[in-house]
Amino acid sequence: MNLPDFGVGTFRLQGRTVIDSVRNALELGYRAIDTAQIYANEAEVGQAIVASGVPRDELFITTKIWVDKYAQNKLIPSLKDSLAKLHIDRVDLTLIHWPAPCNGVSLEEYMAALAEAKAQGLTRQIGVSNFNIALTRQAIEVVGKEAIATNQIELSPYLQNSNLVEFLQSQGIRVTSYMTLAYGKVLKDPVIGEIARKHQATSAQVVLAWALCLGYAVIPSSTKRENLASNLLARNLRLDNEDMVRIAALERNGREVSPDGLAPAWD
Ligand SMILES: NC(=O)c1ccc[n+]([C@@H]2O[C@H](COP(=O)([O-])OP(=O)(O)OC[C@H]3O[C@@H](n4cnc5c(N)ncnc54)[C@H](OP(=O)(O)O)[C@@H]3O)[C@@H](O)[C@H]2O)c1
């Protein structure tokens, strides 16, 4: 299965909250779920998947390797732990979560270990997250551009990442936008609000439709069933050229996430 355009995120969601969120999402028709080892919720995501009864081959499950598991002798065992928690025998996509330039493991080592995980059938596809252009180039040198399914990056109307996006698209690497809603911040934007009124849509639908229109995959999260339901309807919203131009003008390098020691020098 190719990378789905629309999935549900699970960052920050724990225990009952994540179980309910994933259950609601699956009931509403979501089929892609984004988790990560560091979210400490893979077991609950797995529990919700099993309880849903949705056939495994309809689902697209992504996890991400945490930075303390990048060494060649740790990455594959950690992914096997993730599979056990998720109650599946392979994930659809495994990402390197952050480049973590100071964690003592070279990019060559962890990208080779990730490719080996794919060769062993533990993951259908592999990719990266939070990589800048230079690091994506290095990853391409190790595994080849065809092997990198996506670079999952923070991308919202306030942080459009145009240089990195242009590079990824030139390489045929799919862009996944995380925090497309800037964790709710862009929903208060007056321009987004005007466009939403014009289309009788919600602000979240406008922002998600904007990202989809640009060809990005999105993985918005929500603890509320009604938000999960209405977000999914963004797939039916068609923005016009004027809307797209107005949203493009909202760029303000508004980065929300840049952890010391993990983040690269951003483009
Ligand atoms: N690769 C990485 O390093 C990385 C980093 C961050 C995130 N991610 C992934 O990306 C996913 C999305 O990012 P995110 O969860 O941080 O932020 P987000 O999707 O931009 O925003 C989620 C927030 O928006 C609210 N929201 C969602 N739909 C809404 C709606 N229709 N109306 C009003 N509010 C709405 C949610 O509140 P309610 O719960 O109240 O609806 C929640 O507070 C994560 O869950 C995670 O899977 C990856």
Side-chain angles (χ1 to χ4, degrees):
M1 200 192 296
N2 286 336
L3 190 74
D5 291 340
F6 214 105
V8 67
T10 64
F11 180 36
R12 301 183 202 85
L13 309 185
Q14 299 287 308
R16 195 71 243 165
T17 308
V18 73
I19 293 172
D20 288 346
S21 180
V22 173
R23 190 198 63 234
N24 281 323
L26 292 173
E27 282 176 10
L28 291 163
Y30 286 76
R31 288 294 177 266
I33 304 167
D34 182 86
T35 182
Q37 294 175 341
I38 195 67
Y39 298 172
N41 62 15
E42 289 172 310
E44 289 78 8
V45 169
Q47 199 181 319
I49 290 170
V50 170
S52 75
V54 176
R56 173 66 186 96
D57 61 4
E58 288 184 19
L59 295 171
F60 190 96
I61 303 166
T62 300
T63 196
K64 313 184 197 78
I65 305 289
W66 190 240
V67 298
D68 60 353
K69 300 291 188 285
Y70 287 1
Q72 186 262 334
N73 62 345
K74 289 188 180 156
L75 191 146
I76 286 180
S78 85
L79 184 54
K80 287 180 177 168
D81 286 347
S82 294
L83 296 178
K85 289 177 183 158
L86 287 160
H87 296 291
I88 52 180
D89 44 22
R90 88 169 71 169
V91 276
D92 297 284
L93 176 63
T94 304
L95 306 178
I96 293 293
H97 205 148
W98 285 93
C102 307
N103 81 344
V105 183
S106 70
L107 179 147
E108 289 72 18
E109 180 172 337
Y110 63 68
M111 287 309 299
L114 190 63
E116 176 59 22
K118 180 178 172 184
Q120 290 186 17
L122 304 172
T123 180
R124 281 181 213 283
Q125 300 184 53
I126 59 174
V128 296
S129 178
N130 298 301
F131 275 37
N132 64 10
I133 295 174
L135 290 162
T136 310
R137 278 191 205 282
Q138 288 177 40
I140 290 170
E141 275 170 31
V142 182
V143 298
K145 62 184 178 185
E146 294 77 17
I148 301 176
T150 192
N151 185 357
Q152 184 182 119
I153 54 174
E154 184 181 346
L155 193 157
S156 76
Y158 289 168
L159 177 72
Q160 299 184 22
N161 253 318
S162 29
N163 291 337
L164 178 55
V165 165
E166 193 181 324
F167 171 73
L168 294 173
Q169 291 180 336
S170 77
Q171 301 299 304
I173 296 175
R174 190 81 193 277
V175 175
T176 302
S177 154
Y178 77 68
M179 291 176 71
T180 319
L181 310 177
Y183 198 52
K185 257 188 201 170
V186 295
L187 304 181
K188 300 186 197 103
D189 189 281
V191 170
I192 301 287
E194 278 175 30
I195 298 171
R197 278 190 292 284
K198 170 175 148 188
H199 291 280
Q200 294 176 316
T202 68
S203 292
Q205 287 167 344
V206 168
V207 175
L208 294 167
W210 165 80
L212 292 171
C213 179
L214 292 171
Y216 312 149
V218 295
I219 46 171
S221 75
S222 178
T223 55
K224 302 195 176 76
R225 187 179 170 99
E226 60 271 26
N227 287 349
L228 289 166
S230 69
N231 289 351
L232 200 54
L233 296 175
R235 294 183 300 184
N236 306 333
L237 174 59
R238 297 283 169 267
L239 301 179
D240 60 33
N241 195 41
E242 186 198 345
D243 304 329
M244 295 300 284
V245 169
R246 292 185 78 195
I247 300 173
L250 298 178
E251 166 64 45
R252 59 196 63 177
N253 199 26
R255 192 178 293 283
E256 299 288 323
V257 187
S258 190
D260 288 346
L262 302 183
W266 299 111
D267 297 299

